[in-house]
Amino acid sequence: MIKPAEKRVLQMHHHVLGPAPRKRCAKQVGCNLVLSLARAIGLAMRTCARTIEMRQLTAAETLALLMALGMISGSSRAESSRVEDEEDTFRPYVRGLYGYDSNLFRLQNDQEANAVLGTTDTAESYHTLAAGMDMNLRLSRQAIKAHAEFNQTWFSKYNMLDYDGHDAYLKWDWLVGSAAKGDVGISETLTQASYANVKQPVSNLIRTRRTFFRGAIKLDNPWQVKFGADRTKTNNNASIQQVQDATVDTVNAGVQYSSRKGSTVELISQRSDGQYPNRQIVGLSLVDNDYRQWDNGVAVAWAPTGKTQVAGKLNYTQRSYADMPQRNFSGLTGLVAMDWTVTGQTTLRASVHRDIGALENNTASYTLNQGIAFGADWKPTAKLAFNTQLRYDDIDYAGDPGFVQSTAQAREDRLSTVQAGVEYSVLRNTMLGLVLKRGVRDSSEALSSYVYNSALINLRSEF
């Protein structure tokens, strides 16, 4: 049974699912719908904030308010869920988060903290309030999925970092006959950037918009052809970070073989074109960081037993810079991950990876990341779950253009993190979570090492 609110959404999307839709129209309608939902949620949230003077609430009072809302909605949600179509859902929610970080700006010592902050106290706390919705609509053999959230974050001491953010996406899972399927969608996030490399209280909101299309066509069993296209556009609102604004266009194609037991082997080729509209100043020169990257390789998914799953990919990666060929990279990249379900309540995880990441400074245009991770999940009851993760990364800063004369070795970081979390279902529709984390970075570059401890308390209630 489709609710009235869902019917209105269905009417707004009818032309998207009709015959021969225009790509521009579908993309525009999808973007406008999701952002309109986010703005509507944000307007309601700001009205509520003015009414109850939200800025005066403590973190404890905020979480108590959300808990009360969840308990009020619990009985009605339980009743409606009995008559709700499992495939057609519309679920609004609210959530609150309290965070603490012992070294928010990732400073190395008291001397650096005094120089940057004027104090040796590097700790900061913050809280976030959010309201949003998740939607899933089934239209014959097609499916529409949407998510929209508006959130507001306040910092205890550094009020200049307060911000309003959002997270939204719209996706159409399409199916044509019995041979072709895929998805097409658009998403956008607006959130505060990390302070790990900025190392000072500078507000920088990053807006990331992504559009994508993926498809697969079955050939004679057990073969199928896969293809896709993706555009990711990133914008920074802080002027000192706008050199990192970028648009990355990616296309890929491959062929996949599936065994009778469900294992798959895929040969794939992918090309990415990165464009940086704002040139980087290195020494006395303006550098164009536009690049083209090829990833050619193989991806495998294998289940040797009913309790073990292994997935991995191995690529030969080539990245070339038209303006700065001395920044070029070529080599093997990849990932191997394994999950082992020890019991019905316990799962162990392990992975190793080698890849390149984006970074632009005077001596590097990207980082070469190599690391290993271990994790475990334990769910002793239906309401209680624990998880933990250990991770180690070796990060090399590569792609020196040679404009800045230096006798120092290229920067290398070693980053170790340990994380533990617990989730508890307070009510059928209310989840309480706690995450504790510790990170240590040892860097060969002066004043780039740091240690931090953080804690997050999150409460989410669905209506």
Side-chain angles (χ1 to χ4, degrees), residues 424-440:
Y424 178 67
S425 297
V426 182
L427 297 170
R428 179 176 180 178
N429 63 323
T430 302
M431 180 71 72
L432 178 65
L434 170 66
V435 177
L436 302 176
K437 188 174 183 180
R438 176 177 174 83
V440 179

Side-chain angles (χ1 to χ4, degrees), residues 235-293:
N235 295 103
N236 297 262
N237 77 335
S239 58
I240 61 173
Q241 296 296 317
Q242 288 177 355
V243 68
Q244 297 187 37
D245 290 355
T247 299
V248 180
D249 294 311
T250 301
V251 293
N252 62 75
V255 59
Q256 184 184 78
Y257 171 85
S258 301
S259 73
R260 293 180 180 179
K261 294 184 178 180
S263 298
T264 62
V265 178
E266 181 180 355
L267 300 177
I268 190 168
S269 179
Q270 176 174 288
R271 191 188 82 178
S272 302
D273 293 298
Q275 302 174 15
Y276 291 77
N278 304 312
R279 294 202 168 195
Q280 177 190 8
I281 300 177
V282 180
L284 300 177
S285 302
L286 289 175
V287 176
D288 184 355
N289 282 313
D290 291 359
Y291 68 85
R292 170 165 291 179
Q293 179 173 319

Side-chain angles (χ1 to χ4, degrees), residues 1 66 76 117 144 193 234 257 270 302 351-352 378 407 435-436 441:
M1 178 178 179
L66 291 175
S76 61
L117 306 176
I144 299 292
T234 304
Y257 171 85
Q270 176 174 288
W302 177 43
S351 66
V352 294
W378 179 45
T407 58
V435 177
L436 302 176
R441 184 168 81 178

